[in-house]
Amino acid sequence: GAGVSQSPSNKVTEKGKDVELRCDPISGHTALYWYRQSLGQGLEFLIYFQGNSAPDKSGLPSDRFSAERTGGSVSTLTIQRTQQEDSAVYLCASSSGSRTGELFFGEGSRLTVL
Amino acid sequence: DAKTTQPTSMDCAEGRAANLPCNHSTISGNEYVYWYRQIHSQGPQYIIHGLKNNETNEMASLIITEDRKSSTLILPHATLRDTAVYYCIVRANNNDMRFGAGTRLTVKP
């Protein structure tokens, strides 16, 4: 597609359930980022993938959060045993991988944990 | 990585220039200044970036002081659609772009 695609756009789940959020980056982009944005707050960095390098996981808030990127393209963010404080918009971005390339963001996945 | 300081909010009259300041007094020689904005309910959008020289594109102009300790993003003729949160980020490369609270710009008719 032309832009970064995320799915689902909205997800409502019960506390304790696992959720998976998907990100399809722009074709050819080697860098992929996940951010979280709680209501009325700024963007919180979660994880960064660049090519075949080990991902930068320094922003993951707990071990309930994990992400993978298969084949250097699609990425999945998994949240296990969801808690109410996990409710937020999860944003994915990709870039060409150049040092100063701009980030292109998707529209986000809004997660609501009841 | 250098920290940035931006005003929490600003207003601007429609059709006038919007000048958004950013302080980055601890910036290093290899760090770029990036600007993004986020319109309500959308993902952030890249605006412009620069290292030392002033930059201009179809969206905005970026003025960086000679000592590089501060910069100003200029929207020359603000429209209602420019109402958004504007983020100033200083990074040596883009592999760990961290967004702060930004400046909430409200363009008023």
Side-chain angles (χ1 to χ4, degrees):
Chain A
V4 177
S5 178
Q6 293 188 244
S7 62
S9 55
N10 278 286
K11 174 72 175 178
V12 180
T13 190
E14 293 179 348
K15 177 181 172 182
K17 295 286 180 69
D18 298 350
V19 297
E20 285 190 351
L21 307 176
R22 177 188 169 105
C23 174
D24 279 278
I26 292 173
S27 178
H29 278 189
T30 60
L32 188 147
Y33 313 71
W34 282 99
Y35 293 86
R36 176 170 72 173
Q37 188 168 35
S38 300
L39 187 64
Q41 303 297 312
L43 279 75
E44 176 187 5
F45 169 83
L46 296 178
I47 189 169
Y48 163 77
F49 296 89
Q50 168 62 305
N52 295 321
S53 301
D56 176 356
K57 303 180 182 180
S58 60
L60 295 178
S62 76
D63 58 7
R64 296 187 295 105
F65 288 73
S66 62
E68 62 177 24
R69 189 178 185 194
T70 54
S73 181
V74 172
S75 177
T76 302
L77 177 69
T78 301
I79 308 172
Q80 296 178 309
R81 305 181 303 281
T82 52
Q83 303 295 312
Q84 288 184 331
E85 60 262 30
D86 299 335
S87 296
V89 176
Y90 290 82
L91 289 156
C92 175
S94 71
S95 75
S96 65
S98 70
R99 184 179 166 203
T100 59
E102 69 178 275
L103 275 64
F104 294 84
F105 281 82
E107 293 299 312
S109 293
R110 180 176 298 277
L111 174 67
T112 303
V113 182
L114 301 177
Chain B
D1 296 306
K3 293 185 185 294
T4 61
T5 303
Q6 299 179 254
T8 303
S9 63
M10 292 181 64
D11 291 342
C12 177
E14 187 178 19
R16 305 297 292 271
N19 297 285
L20 293 98
C22 181
N23 286 324
H24 31 80
S25 59
T26 61
I27 192 170
S28 300
N30 64 342
E31 290 183 311
Y32 289 77
V33 181
Y34 296 84
W35 283 85
Y36 282 75
R37 74 179 182 184
Q38 186 174 25
I39 295 171
H40 182 62
S41 298
Q42 298 182 20
Q45 174 191 26
Y46 166 85
I47 302 174
I48 199 167
H49 77 277
L51 183 62
K52 290 190 290 187
N53 299 322
N54 298 336
E55 302 287 344
T56 295
N57 63 20
E58 65 278 6
M59 290 182 68
S61 294
L62 173 61
I63 308 299
I64 303 173
T65 58
E66 192 169 342
D67 63 8
R68 303 213 318 128
K69 293 185 176 182
S70 65
S71 60
T72 301
L73 179 75
I74 301 173
L75 309 179
H77 305 287
T79 71
L80 299 180
R81 288 176 295 180
D82 291 322
T83 292
V85 177
Y86 288 77
Y87 299 98
C88 171
I89 305 162
V90 171
R91 282 293 181 273
N93 56 56
N94 64 5
N95 66 351
D96 67 342
M97 296 290 277
R98 312 274 171 147
F99 292 73
T103 295
R104 183 172 298 277
L105 175 69
T106 302
V107 180
K108 299 186 173 181

